[in-house]
Amino acid sequence: MFFDLHPVFTDNSGMSSDVFIPLLGNAMPSSVPPPSLKTSMQPVNGYHMLVAMLLMPLASALAVASWTLYALLAKQPIYVLMPLCSGALLVWPAWYIARRGDTCRVMQWLLLGLALALSGFGMASRPWEFLLVGVWLGLGGAVIATGIAHAKGWMPGRWVHIGVGLCLALAAGVGLSLRMAPLVVQAYGWRTAPFSLLIPLFMIMLLLWLFVESPE
């Protein structure tokens, strides 16, 4: 007795149908293209515009908050002027670099430098150390310039929206320090106040690393 090598299945209705075993190369119909990583990773302009109007102003707000905190804890006017003067000098170099490079990576490095400045602020004890911290905190000006450059890359010509976001960031940064600094200083001492800004700063750095792309 010979076996029929042609595979046939029989269903309950008595009708038979040939077995279809797709080849490895024909696992998907030709009319349905396989998913492509390149097409699935295309950035959505609306999403990045939203992030540009959220995370970058928050980074600018933290820069202004660090300046405000430094001014509140300073005892002499010269200390107040140091971050403002150095920040004004760093605005244009930061703008130039951000417009010609990866704004997200530039922002992350600037925030890391700002975190080191806040750490040094909490550990400073001599007058020259406080002056050096004040100059170092001028990185906040570079943070603001980079944030504006990033937002302009995703929203060219929308200077009104960028200006509104910047004004809100400045107000939020000043308000954060004015509300937070007296409570932290009273509860834990003035040296803890600079370190308290590190938590939101590192959170923004993490979100920038995970979700934000630079404009093309």
Side-chain angles (χ1 to χ4, degrees), residues 22-215:
L23 298 177
L24 183 60
N26 297 328
M28 297 186 64
S30 58
S31 60
V32 181
S36 173
L37 180 62
K38 182 178 179 180
T39 58
S40 62
M41 295 293 289
Q42 290 294 331
V44 180
N45 288 340
Y47 162 75
H48 290 295
M49 286 175 59
L50 178 63
V51 173
M53 292 299 291
L54 289 177
L55 287 182
M56 293 300 179
L58 286 177
S60 301
L62 283 178
V64 176
S66 65
W67 287 357
T68 307
L69 180 64
Y70 185 83
L72 290 174
L73 298 178
K75 297 183 179 296
Q76 298 180 8
I78 187 174
Y79 292 108
V80 180
L81 296 176
M82 294 308 297
L84 297 177
C85 295
S86 60
L89 293 176
L90 292 174
V91 164
W92 294 112
W95 174 268
Y96 180 84
I97 295 173
R99 291 295 293 163
R100 287 159 178 78
D102 190 341
T103 54
C104 292
R105 297 295 173 264
V106 173
M107 178 65 80
Q108 289 173 358
W109 283 109
L110 290 175
L111 290 178
L112 179 60
L114 192 62
L116 294 176
L118 289 171
S119 301
F121 185 19
M123 295 183 293
S125 57
R126 299 178 182 178
W128 68 268
E129 293 176 345
F130 286 107
L131 289 175
L132 181 61
V133 167
V135 175
W136 202 346
L137 287 176
L139 288 174
V143 168
I144 296 173
T146 303
I148 296 174
H150 181 89
K152 186 178 182 298
W154 286 111
M155 298 177 294
R158 300 187 180 182
W159 285 105
V160 175
H161 297 79
I162 298 174
V164 170
L166 180 61
C167 291
L168 292 176
L170 297 178
V174 174
L176 176 63
S177 287
L178 291 178
R179 293 287 297 176
M180 180 199 68
L183 299 176
V184 175
V185 170
Q186 184 178 2
Y188 304 104
W190 73 268
R191 291 188 181 276
T192 309
F195 291 106
S196 63
L197 292 177
L198 295 179
I199 298 176
L201 191 147
F202 283 123
M203 289 179 62
I204 292 178
M205 290 179 61
L206 179 62
L207 292 174
L208 287 174
W209 178 65
L210 291 175
F211 299 113
V212 181
E213 296 181 8
S214 292

